[in-house]
Amino acid sequence: MDVLSDAIAAMRTGRPHSGRQDHYAPWGMRFPASDGTGFHVVLQGSAWLIPAAGEPVAMGPGDVVFLAQGREYGLAGALDGPLEEIRPLPDGTWPGTTSATPERSGPRTVLLCGAYMLDRSRAHPLLSELPDVVHLPTRVGAHRSLRTAVELLGAELEEPQPGSDTIVTSLLDTLLLYILRAWWLGERQDSGHPTGWAAALADPAVAAALRCIHGDPAHPWTVEELGARAGLSRAAFARRFAALVGEPPLTYLTWWRMTTAGRLLRADDTPLRTIAQRTGYTSEFAFAKAFKREYGMAPGRYRRQAS
């Protein structure tokens, strides 16, 4: 997998969920802080995204907002109306709202909404540096793949067909990646001089090294070998990688190996010996020692707690 796909896969827990909602003015919802992330797309009408901090965001048809950091926010048809408190159900999904008027006489807003649960204890820095609110306004000719994914997801939710459960889950994963790709590309183009991970992914040398690490974390990478893959000397590569990623190459390699190990332990009952081999450790003992140093507990205990 590539770096962006890996970052999502490592943090994701459980299945994403989504829904298509109709609201008639006046309506308003307040979502509490959570471990997850979510998105809203206006399919018809208009809405206001009201973050816990910062200015409200006006949304029109086709606009997408992504709430990256799981902070409290509101969503409403107008800024001066009350917000109904929304609490997640035990399975992590969100209930429908009762804010629409019984007569349905006010202006109508149709929303496409989705949410993803994340393990923020191992948050990838690529996601951690996103702003609280990512707003992707509709523009002619912009983000065509994202718009196509939105249309497909909306159609599946409006008229479920055989296979819709699997299709919706796959489309939610696809939509999340398109949202993040659109933001990263926009950040690079708008700023002209991107920083942080936007710059790391745009830098050919650092991006090549990251692909090596993510493509084969079990390989016994050295700074010299990664530098060679990046087309730079050892010293020049180490400086550039640390400047853009925020830590030395082998420090990031270890962090990614342990993050991968945690995901594998949560996923199934794969033997520890196998997980050790997949993450670059020659023995189960060496792996367990490194894992405990990183997580503060043995791999077996981590797996039991995660289950």
Side-chain angles (χ1 to χ4, degrees):
M1 279 201 267
D2 61 89
V3 180
L4 180 56
S5 301
D6 268 351
I8 298 299
M11 295 179 64
R12 279 274 310 280
T13 61
R15 292 183 62 181
H17 58 271
S18 63
R20 188 178 184 274
Q21 299 181 351
D22 284 35
H23 298 283
Y24 294 82
W27 64 274
M29 302 174 284
R30 185 188 304 280
F31 295 87
S34 72
D35 287 335
T37 64
F39 69 86
H40 299 281
V41 184
V42 177
L43 300 180
Q44 178 182 327
S46 61
W48 285 91
L49 188 285
I50 308 169
E55 295 297 319
V57 177
M59 300 175 61
D63 281 14
V64 178
V65 291
F66 178 63
L67 293 309
Q69 305 303 339
R71 295 187 173 89
E72 176 185 339
Y73 68 96
L75 194 66
L79 291 176
D80 56 358
L83 300 179
E84 178 186 356
E85 296 288 340
I86 305 296
R87 297 291 174 183
L89 299 173
D91 62 358
T93 61
W94 296 95
T97 67
T98 59
S99 59
T101 58
E103 299 80 9
R104 298 189 172 190
S105 58
R108 181 188 184 204
T109 298
V110 182
L111 298 173
L112 183 63
C113 309
Y116 309 84
M117 296 307 296
L118 302 178
D119 176 11
R120 293 194 181 275
S121 66
R122 302 294 297 183
H124 194 284
L126 189 151
L127 295 180
S128 298
E129 68 179 35
L130 288 173
D132 288 355
V133 177
V134 172
H135 180 211
L136 300 173
T138 185
R139 296 173 186 159
V140 176
H143 315 313
R144 293 180 179 177
S145 297
L146 171 60
R147 306 299 168 193
T148 300
V150 167
E151 291 177 7
L152 290 171
L153 180 59
E156 287 294 329
L157 292 173
E158 185 175 14
E159 296 183 13
Q161 301 289 333
S164 283
D165 284 351
T166 300
I167 291 173
V168 166
T169 300
S170 299
L171 285 173
L172 283 168
D173 289 336
T174 302
L175 187 59
L176 175 58
L177 291 170
Y178 277 138
I179 288 172
L180 294 174
R181 179 194 287 177
W183 188 84
W184 287 114
L185 290 175
E187 184 74 1
R188 291 209 298 259
Q189 293 169 357
D190 294 343
S191 67
H193 298 284
T195 59
W197 274 83
L201 297 179
D203 184 274
V206 173
L210 287 169
R211 286 194 298 270
C212 290
I213 291 172
H214 283 254
D216 189 5
H219 185 79
W221 297 107
T222 64
V223 177
E224 184 174 7
E225 184 177 5
L226 288 170
R229 296 291 186 95
L232 297 172
S233 68
R234 182 186 186 282
F237 164 72
R239 287 194 300 270
R240 184 179 298 186
F241 190 98
L244 296 180
V245 175
E247 57 188 353
L250 298 189
T251 301
Y252 180 81
L253 170 63
T254 299
W255 183 86
W256 179 245
R257 283 173 170 172
M258 290 294 98
T259 299
T260 301
R263 174 166 55 89
L264 293 173
L265 287 166
R266 293 195 307 269
D268 52 40
D269 58 354
T270 301
L272 294 185
R273 183 185 308 106
T274 302
I275 295 178
Q277 293 171 349
R278 291 182 183 178
T279 53
Y281 291 88
T282 57
S283 71
E284 186 177 328
F285 174 78
F287 165 71
K289 184 177 179 180
F291 189 91
K292 187 173 183 179
R293 184 168 57 246
E294 185 78 13
Y295 285 84
M297 66 181 73
R301 181 183 171 191
Y302 179 86
R303 170 175 275 166
R304 289 191 296 272
Q305 287 191 357
S307 64

